[in-house]
Amino acid sequence: MAAKENLRPGGRSARVQASVHQAVRALLTGMDRADVTIPLIAAKAGVTPSTIYRRWGDLQELLADVAVERLRPDMQPIDTGSGRGDLEAWAEQYAEEMSSGVGREMIRDVLAAQDNANACKCCAFTREQMELLSERALARGEIFPPVDAVMDQVVAPIIYRILFGDVPSAERVRSLVADVMTKDMDVTQPPRASAQKSA
């Protein structure tokens, strides 16, 4: 069962979610995750266990919901002045953060949930960042790979390595970026000057 959307942002439901999320984060920093239970979370958050069960269904869905909020980007990607530089900087930071112990735990929590809605949210966060990088590059008159190509050829291999292999090195990440940036037939061309004027 997926977490229900807040009907009234900033209302009682949002305050309950914030309190429960804070309780989960606090408990996870002070104890082994195998020892964290819904009654413990409820007591720390000042709500009843039934409130948590009603909203999240089970512990794994709650952990996935908390992980999604922690995976939501809190800033725009670094602007290095070039599309390739932006993508390299983003990919290196992403690989570093997601391969950390905390990053791996968040990925596992999201993927362990029965409903894939939280995983889809994480994908949407990353796609939004890639779209921003693309828009920046095109506005500078640069070419940039389609967002799907970046997701498939840069983001996906990074996540696969983190989940099933070694931490991807900075050199490997830069190689993935170089490969996707040099596939001329797949790149998105910036608008022509005449098209920009007539727009």
Side-chain angles (χ1 to χ4, degrees):
M1 178 163 83
K4 298 172 185 172
E5 295 298 322
N6 290 334
L7 298 178
R8 196 162 48 99
R12 178 177 54 83
S13 183
R15 290 193 299 273
V16 167
Q17 176 175 322
S19 179
V20 170
H21 278 212
Q22 184 177 4
V24 170
R25 289 192 298 269
L27 288 169
L28 288 176
T29 59
M31 60 193 303
D32 190 280
R33 84 189 305 96
D35 297 327
V36 174
T37 64
I38 285 182
L40 278 175
I41 295 167
K44 190 156 189 70
V47 300
T48 63
S50 61
T51 297
I52 294 176
Y53 286 117
R54 248 193 324 273
R55 184 176 177 98
W56 286 279
D58 61 30
L59 178 61
Q60 192 53 62
E61 292 294 338
L62 172 55
L63 293 176
D65 192 43
V66 172
V68 166
E69 285 306 306
R70 294 175 72 189
L71 288 167
R72 183 188 303 271
D74 56 3
M75 58 183 283
Q76 290 193 340
I78 296 167
D79 188 343
T80 67
S82 75
R84 179 169 178 163
D86 288 357
L87 184 54
E88 276 188 358
W90 181 90
E92 286 182 31
Q93 180 179 1
Y94 183 77
E96 184 179 308
E97 290 176 355
M98 300 309 286
S99 63
S100 69
V102 173
R104 287 173 187 262
E105 283 182 0
M106 290 188 292
I107 294 171
R108 287 191 202 104
D109 285 341
V110 169
L111 296 180
Q114 291 183 3
D115 191 309
N116 73 341
N118 286 311
C120 290
K121 286 180 189 176
C122 291
C123 182
F125 296 156
T126 304
R127 177 173 285 278
E128 286 169 11
Q129 296 225 309
M130 295 307 96
E131 287 169 353
L132 176 59
L133 295 186
S134 177
E135 289 165 10
R136 276 187 196 163
L138 297 178
R140 295 183 192 112
E142 300 174 299
I143 57 174
F144 197 84
V147 169
D148 281 338
V150 177
M151 296 291 286
D152 293 343
Q153 298 170 42
V154 177
V155 179
I158 289 172
I159 290 294
Y160 187 88
R161 285 288 185 112
I162 289 170
L163 288 175
F164 302 110
D166 296 328
V167 175
S169 66
E171 293 76 19
R172 175 64 182 147
V173 171
R174 285 194 291 272
S175 173
L176 293 171
V177 172
D179 288 347
V180 79
M181 293 297 295
T182 55
K183 293 187 177 174
D184 293 340
M185 65 182 63
D186 292 334
V187 297
T188 301
Q189 298 286 344
R192 294 179 185 171
S194 58
Q196 288 176 326
K197 290 177 184 174
S198 62

